[in-house]
């Protein structure tokens, strides 16, 4: 059975049992403390924790997941993969064990073509090969689950195994819901290990499905195995997870997840490109093991990259982008180690697309962008490898000349500065017959990670405990009146100071306030929060920010200006109206920019983030290349035409399904409720889901000035713009500048660019002539300079301060000219100079000097150390610089001294 068929059967079975079909959420986690969605139940966590009310009682999903904590183990066993899919069925206070267990059994064991009596189509597994675990921990036993398995389902007693909390009890790691689990294992047969169930051999007995029965309320959680149960949950829930790849492995009769139909095609193509044969071994002693591990890792990482890019992740040096970059580079490195040095990622990711599009059609729809992003990253890494190879060759040559291993510091510098992988360093050094101080490299890597960890810890602000907010929200979300009101009478529902609920706040205190109703917009959807005032009988607060720490609750951050503020009293909330009006101009202009970008660049310019506040907006979108000057001009013109045409801005609240049917644009990865708000300008031209505040018609925006367009990471661009009076003031400032230039240059405004261009051209020509004259002057000194060389133990040393120079190129040219004048004599030329106040030094040696043991690179390093900088190069010529020009004389004296005292 193909994975696509498994997925369809899963959804169809539970849909027939009254479950809502829920599509996979994005791989990008909505929780800022977590990079990716790492489990099938993640999208439903707010429902299980009670912070949000579920829109359905039953749900079924197949969730995309990414885990990279054990990335180094990928390919080595059948159990490790970075991308995987979790099939889940969920109950929110509806059915419990009495239905969850029989349904799981029925789906697994019913015939693929349908049960002749019930008509149920399942996965056709042999019931005699299924083993069950239930929770047993001393006197704590899940007798109910055991009874259902044995008496209602009919599993023999000896195949229902009791296990402890380490394997069969679930909790969140903190007080809240918890409960016992029951796992379903499949016996792969005696060829895979000893008999006796999963407690004996988990290679033979593969876990397929975990059923979690959330029934307990935990008051304390000390560890995975130590917790305190305060009592039963008011509403018991079901959370199950079946590993799609594991079930596919069993149903397709293959050895591991890498050989299933969604992954194997990439593996085979990689083997074909490398001219190797895949043997499916997991035995480290097998001579084919290293090759098989690399092929499995390549297949896994290519698929993960495909899915991450499809969900909007772009390669970068932080967060999820760093993970993606690492995955792509590990593929390229593995292929190089298999002997393939040409670009290959485009071929491999195309094969992965074809394998995955049956379940995820969006990877085919977005493939042009996916392919472009991945190939561009590969090209960048290949350039990195090329640059790093040159540096490595130099380091290897130096190590060979001394007979020492390549230092850990050099290997670390290659990795840290040039992005050169340690695996490639080890391989290339070995080919040159040079060892690498790998232990020191690992120590330096550890030190770097510890520094980064300490830095992150120092910067981390942490997340406040949301329990106090959950209690304040209760069953009543904050009523937002700000679409139609700028002042609202309300009641203080609660006060929070330093994360703790309180009944009053005094003058000067910083406090968080929750109102029953509010006109203040809480920061969301890229729109900055409102500010303003909250007043009551004898007190006043200045509102500086509004956030929504949990869904449906607006929390006002404020300072008590005067008086004492008690909870429960009536107040009047008043927003800063001028600020709001200017902010909503920017928000509406953001929608206009989005629509205009589609006109200019096409629908592939997908929103990747935004921020707008009074007078200013920025908009991030997916694009690989910079916009041309004409494209930027066109974007600004389209936006201002839309403003001029005074389109009515309409808003409608409707079901998500209806919004999707009418083509409303949604931010990919964003979580939406059953009801959504659609904001429309000029009909279908701009139709987006948005909860923000907007102008009534586009002419209210006034005007828009596009300020910049730039890269904000691989595959992402950003435009920034001013609107309203801010835009007018910008244009006025530009007009003033143009008037000043026309006065200075004595030409009309339309001739200013040509006049500036010709002036700059003349300046460049003058600078080139000055450089030519300076170089001639330096060369004219050559004959005289040679006579100034001093004898240093048999080697002539010319150490000279050339004074101001245009660049190190001048010094280098003069040094090489002087070296040539020494002919076959043993000589060293050391020239210093200053470029823009910074000291530079170049050292050149003749062949006879090098035979005496004099190395230019070593001399430059010593001189640069005196100058407070660094440098290096080859034995015949090297250069560097520093910070302290006053020590040039001391540095040159050091060169003479080093040559004189050599050996």
């Amino acid at each position: 059975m193909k994975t696509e068929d498994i997925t369809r059967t899963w959804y169809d079975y539970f849909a027939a049992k009254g479950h809502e079909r829920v599509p996979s959420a994005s791989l990008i986690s909505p929780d800022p403390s977590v990079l990716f969605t790492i489990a099938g139940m993640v999208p439903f966590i707010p429902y299980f924790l009670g912070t949000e009310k579920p829109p359905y009682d039953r749900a079924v999903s197949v969730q995309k997941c990414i885990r990279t904590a054990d990335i180094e183990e990928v390919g080595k066993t059948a159990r490790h993969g970075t991308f995987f899919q979790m099939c889940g069925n969920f109950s929110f206070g509806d059915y419990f064990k009495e239905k969850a267990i029989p349904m799981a059994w029925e789906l697994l064991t019913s015939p693929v073509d349908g049960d002749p009596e019930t008509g149920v189509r399942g996965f056709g597994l042999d019931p005699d090969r299924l083993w069950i675990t239930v929770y047993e921990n001393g006197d704590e036993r899940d007798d109910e689950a055991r009874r259902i398995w044995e008496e209602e389902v009919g599993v023999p007693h000896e195949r229902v195994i009791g296990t402890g909390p380490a394997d069969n009890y679930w909790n969140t790691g903190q007080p809240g819901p918890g409960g016992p689990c029951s796992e379903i294992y499949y016996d792969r047969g005696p060829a895979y290990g000893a008999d006796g169930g999963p407690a004996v051999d988990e290679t033979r007995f593969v876990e397929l499905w975990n059923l979690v029965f959330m029934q307990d309320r935990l008051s304390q959680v000390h560890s995975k195995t130590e917790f305190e149960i305060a009592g039963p949950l008011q509403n018991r829930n079901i959370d199950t997870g079946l590993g799609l790849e594991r079930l596919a492995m069993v149903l397709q009769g293959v050895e591991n997840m890498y050989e299933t139909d969604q992954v194997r095609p990439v593996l085979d193509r990689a083997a074909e490109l490398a001219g190797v044969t895949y043997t499916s071994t997991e035995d480290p002693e097998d001579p084919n093991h290293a090759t098989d591990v690399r092929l499995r890792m390549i297949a896994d990482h290519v698929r993960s990259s495909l899915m991450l890019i499809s969900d909007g992740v772009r390669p970068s040096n932080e967060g999820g982008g760093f993970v993606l970059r690492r995955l792509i580079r590990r593929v390229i490195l593995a292929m190089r180690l298999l002997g393939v040095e040409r670009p290959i990622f485009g071929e491999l990711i195309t094969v992965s697309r074809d394998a995955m599009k049956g379940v995820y059609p969006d990877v085919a729809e977005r493939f042009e962008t996916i392919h472009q992003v991945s190939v561009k990253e590969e090209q960048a890494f290949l350039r990195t490898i090329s640059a790093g190879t040159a540096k490595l060759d130099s380091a290897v040559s130096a190590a060979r000349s001394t007979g020492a291993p390549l230092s850990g510091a050099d290997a670390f510098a290659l990795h840290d500065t040039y992005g050169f992988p340690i695996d490639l360093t080890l391989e290339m050094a070995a080919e040159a017959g040079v060892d690498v101080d790998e232990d020191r490299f690992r120590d330096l890597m550890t030190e770097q990670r510890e520094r980064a960890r300490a830095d992150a810890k120092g910067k981390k602000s942490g997340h406040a405990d949301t329990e106090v907010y959950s209690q304040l929200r209760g069953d009543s979300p904050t009523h937002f009146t700000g679409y139609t009101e700028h002042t609202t009478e309300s009641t203080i529902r609660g006060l929070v100071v330093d994360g703790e609920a309180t009944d009053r706040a005094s003058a000067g205190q910083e406090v968080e306030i929750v109102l029953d109703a509010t006109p203040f917009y809480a920061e969301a959807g890229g729109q900055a929060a409102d500010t303003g005032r909250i007043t009551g009988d004898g007190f006043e607060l200045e509102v500086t920010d509004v956030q929504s720490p949990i869904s449906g609750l607006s929390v006002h951050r404020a300072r008590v200006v005067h008086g004492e503020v008690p909870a429960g009293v009536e107040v009047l909330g008043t927003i800063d109206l001028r600020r709001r009006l200017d902010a909503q101009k920017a928000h509406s202009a953001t929608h206009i920019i989005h629509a205009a970008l589609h006109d200019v660049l096409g629908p592939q310019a997908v929103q990747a983030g935004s921020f707008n506040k009074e007078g200013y907006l920025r908009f991030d979108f997916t694009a690989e290349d910079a916009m041309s000057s004409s494209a930027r001009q066109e974007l600004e013109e389209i936006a201002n035409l839309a403003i001029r045409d005074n389109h009515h801005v309409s808003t409608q609240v409707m079901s998500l399904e209806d919004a999707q049917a009418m083509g409303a644009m949604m931010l990919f990865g964003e979580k939406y409720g059953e009801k959504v708000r659609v904001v429309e300008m000029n009909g279908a031209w701009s139709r987006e889901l948005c909860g923000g505040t907007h102008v009534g018609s586009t002419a209210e925006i006034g005007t828009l000035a596009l300020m910049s367009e730039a890269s904000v990471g691989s595959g992402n661009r950003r435009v920034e713009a001013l609107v309203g009076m801010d835009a007018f003031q910008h244009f006025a400032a530009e007009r003033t500048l143009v008037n000043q230039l026309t006065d200075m240059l004595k030409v009309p405004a339309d001739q200013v660019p040509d006049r500036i261009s010709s002036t700059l051209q003349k300046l460049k020509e003058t600078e080139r002539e000055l450089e030519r004259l300076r170089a001639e002057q330096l060369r004219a000194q050559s004959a005289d300079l040679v006579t100034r060389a001093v004898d240093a133990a048999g080697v002539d040393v010319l150490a000279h301060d050339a004074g101001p120079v245009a660049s190190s190129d001048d010094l280098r040219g003069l040094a090489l000219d002087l070296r040539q004048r020494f002919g076959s004599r043993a000589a060293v030329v050391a020239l210093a100079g200053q470029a823009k106040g910074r000291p530079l030094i170049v050292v050149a040696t003749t062949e006879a000097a090098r035979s005496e043991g004099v190395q230019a690179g070593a001399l430059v390093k010593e001189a640069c150390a005196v100058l407070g900088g660094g440098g290096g190069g080859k034995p015949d010529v090297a250069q560097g610089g520093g910070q302290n020009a006053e020590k040039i004389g001391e540095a040159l004296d050091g060169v003479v001294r080093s040559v004189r005292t050599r050996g």
Side-chain angles (χ1 to χ4, degrees):
M1 181 182 285
K2 291 185 176 181
T3 303
E4 184 178 354
D5 297 325
I6 297 172
T7 303
R8 186 181 301 110
T9 298
W10 177 267
Y11 269 119
D12 289 348
Y13 176 83
F14 283 106
K17 299 290 185 180
H19 292 65
E20 179 76 15
R21 294 174 183 259
V22 179
S24 174
S26 170
L27 284 169
I28 305 171
S29 171
D31 182 349
S33 66
V34 182
L35 290 179
F36 301 122
T37 300
I38 59 173
M41 57 91 72
V42 167
F44 305 102
I45 286 177
Y47 308 150
F48 290 131
L49 295 181
T51 58
E52 294 183 25
K53 184 178 180 181
Y56 29 68
D57 295 330
R58 303 180 177 191
V60 56
S61 71
V62 177
Q63 176 61 47
K64 302 174 290 187
C65 303
I66 286 277
R67 290 181 190 169
T68 58
D70 52 2
I71 191 171
E72 300 294 341
E73 300 303 312
V74 171
K76 296 178 182 178
T77 74
R79 296 183 297 277
H80 292 93
T82 53
F83 175 84
F84 59 97
Q85 300 152 92
M86 290 302 296
C87 302
N89 62 289
F90 308 91
S91 166
F92 309 106
D94 187 11
Y95 65 82
F96 203 50
K97 300 175 193 176
E98 77 287 346
K99 290 187 178 179
I101 291 173
M103 282 194 296
W105 185 264
E106 182 179 49
L107 177 56
L108 287 177
T109 60
S110 293
V112 172
D113 296 330
D115 187 287
E117 296 182 5
T118 65
V120 172
R121 295 183 57 193
F123 297 124
L125 296 182
D126 182 353
D128 293 335
R129 302 183 76 165
L130 297 177
W131 288 64
I132 311 298
T133 65
V134 295
Y135 176 60
E136 290 184 3
N137 184 31
D139 295 335
E140 297 177 5
R141 306 165 63 91
D142 191 356
D143 292 331
E144 181 184 10
R146 179 178 283 277
R147 180 189 59 77
I148 295 172
W149 280 118
E150 294 182 8
E151 297 179 12
E152 296 187 23
V153 173
V155 180
H157 176 78
E158 62 273 14
R159 294 215 314 273
V160 182
I161 311 298
T163 60
D167 297 313
N168 272 64
Y169 195 94
W170 175 87
N171 65 67
T172 64
Q174 57 187 6
C181 308
S182 185
E183 299 168 323
I184 305 173
Y185 286 79
Y186 180 79
D187 181 2
R188 301 173 75 190
Y192 293 91
D195 200 355
V200 175
D201 191 327
E202 287 200 11
T203 298
R204 171 173 172 171
F205 297 89
V206 177
E207 180 190 343
L208 295 181
W209 202 340
N210 185 21
L211 315 179
V212 178
F213 311 125
M214 295 186 197
Q215 62 186 43
D216 300 326
R217 180 168 54 86
L218 306 184
S219 58
Q220 295 291 331
V221 177
H222 307 292
S223 68
K224 169 70 175 170
T225 58
E226 296 181 15
F227 43 84
E228 297 175 19
I229 299 175
L233 285 174
Q234 182 177 357
N235 292 314
R236 300 185 301 178
N237 303 314
I238 290 291
D239 159 30
T240 86
L242 175 143
L244 180 56
E245 282 78 10
R246 293 191 181 188
L247 181 59
M249 179 180 76
V250 169
L251 294 177
Q252 294 171 17
V254 296
E255 294 297 313
N256 51 58
M257 59 173 287
Y258 310 102
E259 299 174 17
T260 58
D261 64 312
Q262 284 188 335
V263 188
R264 181 63 185 258
V266 180
L267 187 155
D268 289 340
R269 181 58 179 146
E272 182 183 350
L273 289 170
V276 297
T277 301
Y278 177 68
T279 66
S280 194
T281 182
E282 294 180 30
D283 180 6
E285 302 300 322
D286 191 305
N288 296 308
H289 183 254
T291 295
D292 282 3
V293 168
R294 285 175 182 145
L295 290 171
R296 288 192 288 259
M297 182 266 284
I298 289 165
D300 169 87
H301 286 10
V302 169
R303 182 170 73 148
S304 297
S305 301
L306 172 82
M307 303 308 293
L308 284 170
I309 299 172
S310 175
D311 275 9
V313 180
R314 296 295 181 266
S316 69
N317 288 328
E318 60 183 16
F322 176 75
V323 173
L324 173 60
R325 171 162 287 168
R326 189 181 182 200
L327 291 168
I328 293 174
R329 292 186 171 193
R330 279 170 59 86
V331 169
I332 298 165
L333 175 59
M335 289 299 291
R336 286 180 72 89
L337 295 177
L338 290 173
V340 182
E341 297 188 0
R342 70 175 181 84
I344 43 76
F345 210 92
E347 294 181 54
L348 295 179
I349 206 165
T350 301
V351 175
S352 188
R353 173 204 62 187
D354 294 341
M356 296 297 293
K357 66 183 181 182
V359 178
Y360 303 103
D362 50 340
V363 300
E365 296 166 5
R366 302 172 185 147
F367 190 68
E368 181 179 352
T369 298
I370 294 170
H371 187 272
Q372 188 178 29
V373 169
S374 61
V375 169
K376 188 173 182 179
E377 178 65 16
E378 179 182 37
Q379 291 169 344
F381 186 48
L382 291 176
R383 289 194 296 270
T384 293
I385 290 177
S386 178
T389 299
K391 299 293 181 183
L392 177 60
D393 288 344
S394 177
V396 167
S397 296
R400 291 182 67 179
S401 67
T402 61
L406 182 73
S407 72
D410 282 342
F412 177 76
L414 282 163
H415 169 85
D416 193 52
T417 305
Y418 301 101
F420 204 73
I422 183 60
D423 291 356
L424 204 53
T425 297
L426 293 171
E427 182 194 32
M428 293 177 67
E431 290 176 354
V434 174
D435 292 330
V436 178
D437 187 351
E438 194 173 351
D439 290 340
R440 179 57 181 157
F441 169 81
R442 302 295 177 193
D443 290 342
L444 291 170
M445 287 294 293
T446 301
E447 291 173 11
Q448 183 190 57
R449 282 192 292 267
E450 289 174 351
R451 286 194 301 270
R453 193 177 297 117
D455 182 59
K457 185 176 181 181
K459 294 178 180 177
K460 185 177 179 182
S461 59
H463 297 279
D465 186 358
T466 60
E467 180 62 25
V468 64
Y469 302 125
S470 298
Q471 292 175 358
L472 287 171
R473 183 188 186 281
D475 294 327
S476 303
T478 305
H479 175 52
F480 177 61
T481 64
Y483 292 135
T484 57
E485 297 181 6
H486 302 142
T487 63
T488 297
E489 293 181 352
S490 185
T491 301
I492 296 180
R493 183 184 297 180
L495 301 169
V496 178
V497 175
D498 296 330
E500 300 288 340
T502 183
D503 60 356
R504 62 190 60 249
S506 304
Q509 272 192 300
E510 300 288 335
V511 63
E512 294 181 323
I513 305 176
V514 175
L515 304 177
D516 286 337
T518 181
F520 289 86
Y521 183 80
E523 182 177 348
Q527 181 175 334
D530 282 328
T531 59
R533 300 268 165 170
I534 296 175
T535 55
D537 186 9
F539 61 83
E540 180 180 6
L541 301 104
E542 179 186 9
V543 178
T544 57
D545 191 17
V546 188
Q547 296 293 323
S548 182
I550 64 172
S551 177
L553 189 74
S554 292
V555 177
H556 307 72
R557 295 174 180 171
R559 181 180 64 87
V560 182
V561 178
H562 64 79
E564 185 174 77
V565 185
V569 300
E570 293 185 355
V571 293
L572 179 68
T574 305
I575 65 170
D576 182 334
L577 183 57
R578 182 72 270 158
R579 188 171 183 273
R580 158 72 78 80
L581 293 175
D582 287 343
Q584 61 191 33
K585 290 177 185 178
H587 197 161
S588 296
T590 303
H591 285 222
I592 289 174
I593 284 288
H594 193 184
L597 277 168
H598 282 196
D599 286 349
V600 177
L601 301 180
Q604 68 271 19
V606 177
Q607 181 176 351
S610 67
F611 176 71
N612 45 80
K613 62 177 184 177
E614 63 277 16
Y616 168 84
L617 71 88
R618 70 169 184 251
F619 186 86
D620 297 348
F621 59 98
T622 56
E624 292 302 313
D625 300 314
M627 295 180 68
S628 65
S629 176
S630 60
R632 292 196 301 270
Q633 184 175 344
E634 183 182 4
L635 174 65
E636 187 177 52
E637 182 177 348
I638 291 173
N640 279 292
L641 286 173
I643 292 170
R644 182 205 65 183
D645 291 345
N646 198 24
H647 300 300
H648 175 63
V649 179
S650 65
T651 60
Q652 303 176 66
V653 176
M654 62 184 70
S655 70
L656 179 60
E657 185 177 350
D658 288 343
Q660 291 172 323
M662 68 187 299
M665 283 190 290
M666 294 176 285
L667 184 60
F668 188 77
E670 189 74 16
K671 186 177 180 181
Y672 297 101
E674 283 188 299
K675 294 293 183 179
V676 295
R677 185 166 177 263
V678 179
V679 178
E680 190 174 275
M681 305 177 195
N682 191 23
W685 183 72
S686 174
R687 183 180 288 152
E688 299 191 33
L689 301 193
C690 180
T693 63
H694 289 273
V695 297
S697 61
T698 58
E700 293 177 31
I701 298 170
T703 190
L704 180 146
L706 190 64
M707 302 299 293
S708 66
E709 188 272 341
S711 171
V712 287
S714 179
N716 284 314
R717 309 290 300 179
R718 170 177 293 172
V719 293
E720 295 180 279
L722 300 177
V723 298
M725 282 301 298
D726 291 80
F728 170 79
Q729 290 166 0
H730 169 73
F731 287 135
E734 285 193 335
R735 183 177 62 224
T736 299
L737 178 61
V738 170
N739 289 338
Q740 291 172 341
L741 288 171
T742 59
D743 290 341
M744 291 170 59
L745 298 172
K746 308 300 182 185
V747 295
D750 60 350
Q751 295 179 22
V752 166
D754 290 340
R755 175 59 62 88
I756 291 176
S757 177
S758 64
T759 301
L760 290 174
Q761 183 62 33
K762 290 177 181 178
L763 181 60
K764 288 180 181 179
E765 291 173 357
T766 302
E767 288 176 345
R768 282 197 293 269
E769 180 63 17
L770 285 173
E771 287 180 12
R772 185 186 66 78
L773 293 172
R774 191 181 296 113
E776 286 183 359
Q777 184 181 21
L778 286 173
R779 283 193 293 272
Q781 299 174 6
S782 295
D784 178 58
L785 288 176
V786 170
T787 65
R788 301 183 191 180
V790 298
D791 179 71
V795 175
D796 291 332
V797 180
L798 171 59
H800 174 67
D801 181 359
V805 295
S807 68
S808 60
D809 290 341
D810 284 352
L811 281 181
R812 188 182 182 92
L814 179 58
L816 296 178
D817 179 59
L818 287 167
R819 182 180 66 178
Q820 185 177 7
R821 291 175 182 268
F822 281 100
S824 61
R825 293 154 57 189
V828 174
V829 178
L831 297 183
Q834 296 179 52
K836 298 179 180 179
R838 181 173 178 266
L840 304 172
I841 189 162
V842 176
V843 175
T845 61
T846 63
E847 184 176 351
R850 292 193 293 277
S851 67
E852 293 285 337
V854 181
Q855 303 286 323
L859 294 174
V860 159
K861 285 183 179 179
E862 291 183 22
C864 289
V866 175
L867 297 173
K874 296 181 179 180
D876 62 327
V877 62
Q879 66 187 54
Q883 303 297 325
N884 192 347
E886 294 179 359
K887 291 194 173 184
I888 284 179
E890 183 181 337
L892 292 173
D893 290 343
V895 171
V896 177
R897 186 166 51 253
S898 295
V899 176
R900 182 173 288 122
T901 59
R902 68 188 184 279

